[in-house]
Amino acid sequence: MANFGTWLHTRRKGRLIGKDADGRCYYESTGPARLGGGVQRPERWVIYHKGEDPSAVPPEWWGWLHHTLEAPIPEAERKPWQLPHQPNLTGGPGAYRPQGSLYVTGKHPPATGDYEAWTPGDTPKA
C-alpha cells in the first residue's frame, strides 16, 4: 500500500521487475542513483500490502532487493526444506510468551526460594 509520494515516484522513475507469489510488486529505478562512496546503482523497492512488515519479503526476492543478486531466484528453485513465510508476531497478541510471563497469567509467579539477595559488605560464599 503506497502513499501518494511513493506512487508518484514509482510511476515516474520505476519499472516493474516482477511480482512474488503473494502479489507484492518489485521495482527498479530506470536510472542509477548516487549512493554513499560514489557508488551508482539502480534503486530497488517493493510495494507491500497494507499492514505488512518487511519480514514478508520472500527469500527469492530478498537477495535481489538488497543488491546481492542480479535477478530474483526463480520460485521453482525453492528447496523442499524452505518453509513458507510466517509474519513477525513480536509485540502482538500472537507473540511467544514463556511460562511465568506476566502476559500469560497477569500475576507474578510465586517465589521459589532460589534467590539470595546481596548487600554491600557481604563476603562471597564458596
Side-chain angles (χ1 to χ4, degrees), residues 23-94:
R24 286 176 217 90
C25 298
Y26 296 85
Y27 293 91
E28 186 172 65
S29 61
T30 53
R34 184 173 296 262
L35 304 174
V39 176
Q40 290 189 350
R41 63 183 182 193
E43 283 183 285
R44 294 175 177 174
W45 65 95
V46 59
I47 304 295
Y48 296 103
H49 298 303
K50 186 173 185 167
E52 280 188 325
D53 63 277
S55 72
V57 174
E60 296 86 37
W61 285 95
W62 191 92
W64 175 83
L65 196 59
H66 292 88
H67 295 277
T68 304
L69 304 170
E70 285 301 315
I73 299 169
E75 195 170 332
E77 290 186 23
R78 280 190 73 114
K79 307 294 183 222
W81 48 263
Q82 288 179 298
L83 300 174
H85 170 71
Q86 293 183 354
N88 183 353
L89 300 175
T90 303

